[in-house]
Amino acid sequence: MEWVSNVNTEKANSWFFIEFSTPEGIDFDESDIVEVLESLEFKYKYLIDQIVVFDIQNTPDETRIETFKSRIYQLIVDKLNDSEDEFDEELFNFITYKSQEILFSFNIESDDLKEHEFINYLVRIQDGEVINYDKESEFLTIVDYAERHYSKTPLFHNIRCKNIAIFKLKTLSLGFAIIGYMKINNGIRVTIKVFKYDMLKYIIDSLHSFDWILKVTWEDNINWNWLMSRNVSSGYRIADEHITKNELMKSFLKVTKADALEKKISFVLEKLLNKGYLTEKEFNDEISSEKSINKFFSPYHRLISNNFPEKGVWIDPSLGLIFNERNKNDPKRIEENNDFEKIFAPTFHLLNYIRIFWHQDFVQEVVEMVQKEMQAEQSDYNIISSFADLQFDLKRDGEPKSSSRDIDVLLRVKNRKKNTEEIIAIESKRYASEFNTVKKDITQKITQRYAGIFKAFITVAYFNDNNDVNSEEYVVWGSGDQELKRPLFLCANTNFKGLVSNLKETIIKICENNDDE
């Protein structure tokens, strides 16, 4: 298995938007808005239903934006004066924002579905409307290649479809999409460009009510693309790669997977994780005869106490002597004032690896084995890919800024029964008792807006310290009609094969629960 840290290298085009709304019953003629835009010399790209789109390079300055706002407000007031209705300025909804475009493509493998019929399906989406549709060439001529508002960034040309429809959702800000479609290879090719993931998800979810959705070949995964757009950095272990890739570390990891050594290695790991060494008795009783384990240990002497006086101590470092400040005639060797015990411990670098990285690597090995077994069994559910060491900003809206959530292992699982993908986040913990801590972290570091990206969460622990290894709880965001729940499972086992079986059963259970929905 190839562990991937960065999967989205293509930089999306960025856009600046001005969006405003008018009181119910007041209709603007587009020419009124165009007149204001032109008078302020705005180099805008496109105007659609009270949304003005700018190439990010042509973002207007704040002064002109405020002037535009005032002029639009005055247009509303003038129209209301004609109708003798009142309008409170505080009700004037005028917002600006920046956003990257999102391209999402798929193929409908159907000979029967025609281009004009696809438009009819768009029209049937609740709360939405198709504002305009035409050949791509027409949109390129009047928008992308228009001399007056030309810029190097294409709004329509990178959709690469013969026909284009402008779709507007009334219930969402920035709720418009550019949808390309054309008949090709005995099917329909569709590419959707939006500027907000909520909009994309609404369209795709609405299309799932139509029968032909079962004939779709998905190229992209909405939730996956959205999640990757929140990725703030990857490979946060890169500074310590010399430790994790070292042959000594790999050899130790291999030993921890051996079934025959499970009891002894789990004993060793518990001692090393807790205190960093084995006493002489522990070493002799448990592993002195087990060469495959004791080869990682070396003997040391550990200082456990000293008998130095609290005051008046003079030490001669060259001679190793200690004197009383007031009586230098009775020196003592420093060693005589210390008590030592013999211990056995790994090297500093190996101990550092065990305490920081070993368990996550152990879990990754478990995931790799689960993937191999699922493929060999030709299961209905397969792990498509696994990603390690990713950091995400899953708290804030807008551009991701800093990490709120590290995800140890991220899974993309294919549900062949329903032709869908599920995203599962795995948290590696030493002890099963950390299960509740994971639950708390998920609610604090992932907001409800992003929680729906995940199908489930799994805590994979090594030590089961008096916890139910079959634990399944729900992480809950919101309440009432707005409540969102996601299951959180616990897998815990010191036996590698046992943990593989436990994790595989859990992944299958998550997918089968999806089949029931």
Side-chain angles (χ1 to χ4, degrees), residues 483-516:
E483 182 181 85
L484 174 67
K485 295 198 303 183
R486 287 293 181 264
L488 170 62
F489 296 86
L490 172 65
C491 300
N493 206 318
T494 55
N495 182 276
F496 180 79
K497 288 184 178 178
L499 193 55
V500 168
S501 177
N502 192 190
L503 181 60
K504 182 169 66 173
E505 289 173 0
T506 300
I507 292 172
I508 291 173
K509 183 177 181 180
I510 291 168
C511 292
E512 287 179 341
N513 287 345
N514 183 52
D515 289 342
D516 296 336

Side-chain angles (χ1 to χ4, degrees), residues 79-314:
K79 287 182 176 292
L80 284 172
N81 286 340
D82 294 339
S83 64
E84 297 183 356
D85 290 330
E86 294 183 359
F87 178 54
D88 188 343
E89 186 174 1
E90 293 182 0
L91 299 177
F92 180 38
N93 186 24
F94 185 100
I95 54 178
T96 62
Y97 34 70
K98 298 176 183 178
S99 181
Q100 287 187 335
E101 66 183 37
I102 303 155
L103 283 169
F104 186 83
S105 300
F106 58 88
N107 291 320
I108 307 170
E109 297 179 349
S110 172
D111 289 330
D112 301 328
L113 186 61
K114 308 302 181 186
E115 290 177 347
H116 70 274
E117 292 175 331
F118 179 74
I119 279 288
N120 291 335
Y121 284 113
L122 294 180
V123 171
R124 289 160 60 183
I125 294 178
Q126 184 176 3
D127 295 327
E129 62 176 326
V130 175
I131 296 177
N132 188 16
Y133 63 95
D134 210 330
K135 299 296 182 183
E136 180 199 40
S137 57
E138 291 299 317
F139 286 97
L140 296 182
T141 300
I142 64 174
V143 180
D144 278 347
Y145 301 152
E147 182 177 348
R148 180 180 293 178
H149 303 140
Y150 176 77
S151 70
K152 293 181 179 180
T153 307
L155 186 60
F156 296 94
H157 195 46
N158 59 346
I159 293 177
R160 298 293 195 270
C161 283
K162 185 175 64 175
N163 310 298
I164 284 178
I166 307 299
F167 179 85
K168 185 74 170 62
L169 185 64
K170 305 171 185 176
T171 55
L172 185 69
S173 64
L174 203 54
F176 84 99
I178 302 170
I179 303 177
Y181 60 100
M182 63 181 174
K183 195 76 176 176
I184 190 170
N185 296 331
N186 300 318
I188 298 285
R189 170 73 174 178
V190 180
T191 296
I192 303 175
K193 178 186 283 193
V194 294
F195 306 90
K196 204 170 188 179
Y197 273 97
D198 307 64
M199 180 64 177
L200 177 60
K201 186 166 177 54
Y202 187 91
I203 293 173
I204 298 301
D205 287 348
S206 298
L207 295 180
H208 270 80
S209 63
F210 305 129
D211 292 341
W212 53 257
I213 201 72
L214 297 175
K215 298 179 181 179
V216 167
T217 301
W218 298 106
E219 293 183 15
D220 299 320
N221 178 321
I222 297 176
N223 286 331
W224 180 257
N225 291 353
W226 190 8
L227 182 60
M228 285 301 105
S229 75
R230 308 304 302 170
N231 183 213
V232 296
S233 67
S234 57
Y236 62 85
R237 300 196 311 180
I238 240 145
D240 299 289
E241 190 171 2
H242 66 287
I243 297 178
T244 61
K245 301 301 182 184
N246 185 285
E247 289 303 317
L248 177 63
M249 316 310 166
K250 292 180 181 179
S251 177
F252 181 82
L253 176 62
K254 184 178 180 180
V255 167
T256 63
K257 294 163 54 181
D259 287 355
L261 301 175
E262 177 197 348
K263 184 175 180 181
K264 290 183 181 297
I265 200 68
S266 61
F267 173 84
V268 167
L269 283 166
E270 184 175 20
K271 299 303 177 182
L272 294 182
L273 291 171
N274 287 337
K275 59 184 182 181
Y277 63 89
L278 302 181
T279 65
E280 184 175 18
K281 183 177 187 307
E282 290 168 343
F283 182 85
N284 290 333
D285 290 349
E286 296 293 334
I287 65 168
S288 60
S289 61
E290 189 58 66
K291 186 177 179 180
S292 57
I293 299 177
N294 65 37
K295 67 180 181 180
F296 297 105
F297 288 82
S298 300
Y300 298 90
H301 281 90
R302 176 176 174 268
L303 177 66
I304 55 177
S305 65
N306 67 70
N307 300 313
F308 291 161
E310 291 184 6
K311 298 180 180 179
V313 175
W314 287 37

